[in-house]
Amino acid sequence: MGVNVAVVGVTGAVGIEILRVLEKRDFPVDELRPLASSRSAGKEVVFRGKEIRIRELTQDSFEGMNIAFFSAGGDISREFVPYAIEKNCVVVDNTSAFRMDDDVPLVVPEVNANKIAGHNGVIANPNCSTIQLVLVLKPIHDAAKIKRVVVSTYQAVSGAGLKAMDELKKETEYVLSNEDEYDRSIFPHQIAFNVLPQIPQDDAFLQNGYTSEEMKMINETKKIMDDDSLRITTTTVRVPVFRGHSESVNIETKEKISADETRDLLSKAEGIVVLDDTSRQLYPLATEAAGKDETFVGRIREDDSVENGLNLWIVSDNLLKGAALNAVQIAEKLL
Ligand code: NAP
Ligand code: 3JM
């Protein structure tokens, strides 16, 4: 028995991947309903070799649907998720709209699949940078109790959508061809050959000097790890990479855990691949992680500047485990 599946934001960077992941994992779809803005209505997507017409998202879009994936921004989710719930269509929401709501499970299946059963119609998919972080933190937390985490991210432009990918490509070409300055519309500064410590690029900084992406990582990590006492601070940075987020992560634990023990622990954890052989210059790379389902960890070493410290380098495809794959895994658990 299959289910009827709506995909809101089907033409976007995340929506396109959701279709691919549903296909690849043989998700039991009876009817697929591709939804986007009026700009896309009437165009077609190809699903399992069949062309299906995209419809404009409206209040009536969820009639007869069982599961809806939302990735068209927070405002769209806030406006339209209630209409899906009204039709008994369970929502897996990729936006930040409901993530911190007490009655909404925030789920990375390898970490807290047990929370899914308590949903009231919506299950939230965490932020891309949070997902790959908690996947790796959880086994370490269980083994040695994490006290404090310091994260700096190196995030790909695809996290900011299709237009941001286009901007990096065009701006790179402009810079290389010495043409006049590129007329950019997404990033506030040149992203080609540059590094921007502001994510998202279009939000004001908060009163505390952080960005909303940084606060999402902090708050979502505590919620998913179910530990408010966890101390965590983050700096989120956009780099001129198309696909794959990298993270430099420093961890302080209560109990001592060696680099070797950490490697051993992580290599047995679901969804994680340890790539850590410095004698062969083997460590995770965005170019290698792009298109893959796993989260890759390397450069695992002890930090002797504190009593029980570890440093790690974590890389994952932000559109797969960071978005579409995690969302479809949640839906698989729902079934
Ligand atoms: P994108 O490439 O810019 O795509 C945006 C999508 O939203 C397009 O399909 C667009 O349709 C649709 N859309 C825009 N306005 C709409 C409207 N008024 N009604 C219906 N659909 C509308 O962005 P993206 O990278 O795919 O990200 C989309 C959202 O997913 C983000 O805003 C964010 O909330 C979320 N996201 C989540 C994660 C995660 O879960 N970890 C990661 C990245 C993004 P048209 O083509 O018709 O304009
Ligand atoms: C990733 O609401 C919006 O305009 C989308 C902002 C956004 C988000 C978000 O807040 O949902 C862009 C890219 C995310 C996310 O996953 O948190």
Side-chain angles (χ1 to χ4, degrees):
M1 252 279 291
V3 287
N4 297 335
V5 176
V7 179
V8 179
V10 75
T11 52
V14 176
I16 291 167
E17 293 301 327
I18 289 177
L19 292 192
R20 287 196 186 137
V21 173
L22 289 171
E23 252 185 27
K24 186 172 166 205
R25 295 174 74 88
D26 255 327
F27 194 86
V29 180
D30 273 348
E31 182 190 337
L32 178 86
R33 188 167 297 172
L35 300 163
S37 78
S38 55
R39 295 177 289 273
S40 304
K43 294 182 189 165
E44 284 172 340
V45 293
V46 178
F47 185 70
R48 294 183 181 152
K50 248 180 61 189
E51 288 178 352
I52 307 174
R53 206 174 51 78
I54 299 170
R55 304 188 195 182
E56 179 181 357
L57 173 66
T58 68
Q59 298 178 1
D60 305 320
S61 292
F62 304 98
E63 187 73 56
M65 294 291 110
N66 305 113
I67 295 179
F69 295 96
F70 272 73
S71 61
D75 290 343
I76 297 290
S77 285
R78 273 181 284 268
E79 184 177 349
F80 289 93
V81 163
Y83 298 111
I85 295 175
E86 201 177 270
K87 299 286 180 202
N88 285 322
C89 170
V90 180
V91 172
V92 180
D93 185 35
N94 276 299
T95 79
S96 57
F98 308 108
R99 285 181 193 148
M100 296 310 298
D101 292 7
D102 281 339
D103 63 342
V104 174
L106 182 63
V107 175
V108 177
E110 294 87 341
V111 176
N112 64 346
N114 60 314
K115 298 284 183 193
I116 294 174
H119 78 81
N120 293 310
V122 188
I123 300 144
N125 202 42
N127 178 266
C128 37
S129 297
T130 308
I131 294 176
Q132 68 186 68
L133 178 68
V134 295
L135 194 63
V136 175
L137 292 186
K138 184 59 164 55
I140 300 173
H141 195 48
D142 289 346
K145 177 94 169 109
I146 295 174
K147 290 196 323 197
R148 180 167 185 254
V149 186
V150 181
V151 188
S152 298
T153 68
Y154 304 68
Q155 299 183 217
V157 294
S158 51
L162 290 178
K163 288 189 183 133
M165 297 176 78
D166 196 47
E167 186 152 301
L168 171 59
K169 181 172 176 284
K170 294 221 172 84
E171 199 172 46
T172 303
E173 288 164 356
Y174 267 64
V175 173
L176 288 176
S177 61
N178 291 318
E179 285 181 49
D180 292 343
E181 193 172 318
Y182 177 63
D183 187 15
R184 70 181 71 87
S185 64
I186 303 293
F187 295 106
H189 306 283
Q190 182 178 318
I191 181 64
F193 309 100
N194 212 357
V195 165
L196 309 182
Q198 184 190 356
I199 300 179
Q201 64 287 337
D202 53 359
D203 250 13
F205 281 86
L206 305 172
Q207 274 278 300
N208 62 4
Y210 282 67
T211 65
S212 58
E213 183 89 348
E214 288 160 350
M215 292 314 299
K216 282 179 205 170
M217 285 189 75
I218 292 169
N219 295 327
E220 293 175 19
T221 298
K222 290 180 184 181
K223 177 166 175 176
I224 299 163
M225 304 277 283
D226 209 1
D227 188 350
D228 264 339
S229 72
L230 188 79
R231 284 178 287 162
I232 167 165
T233 187
T234 61
T235 303
T236 58
V237 180
R238 190 75 71 192
V239 293
V241 164
F242 283 105
R243 202 159 159 160
H245 286 1
S246 305
E247 296 178 348
S248 163
V249 182
N250 178 262
I251 300 173
E252 206 180 329
T253 56
K254 186 156 179 280
E255 318 292 339
K256 173 81 191 159
I257 180 165
S258 70
D260 279 338
E261 286 166 334
T262 306
R263 246 175 244 119
D264 191 50
L265 186 74
L266 294 179
S267 58
K268 290 176 187 141
E270 204 186 329
I272 297 176
V273 173
V274 175
L275 290 182
D276 197 13
D277 184 353
T278 47
S279 72
R280 294 190 289 135
Q281 295 172 313
L282 182 71
Y283 35 74
L285 296 170
T287 48
E288 295 293 313
K292 307 235 170 72
D293 286 352
E294 296 84 3
T295 293
F296 300 89
V297 193
R299 297 297 319 280
I300 301 170
R301 61 204 192 279
E302 286 155 41
D303 166 17
D304 295 331
S305 70
V306 290
E307 204 177 342
N308 299 318
L310 283 174
N311 283 313
L312 314 169
W313 179 249
I314 306 173
V315 183
S316 195
D317 186 320
N318 54 297
L319 296 179
L320 289 176
K321 187 58 185 170
L325 173 62
N326 199 69
V328 173
Q329 285 174 321
I330 290 171
E332 287 171 351
K333 296 279 180 195
L334 265 173
L335 297 186

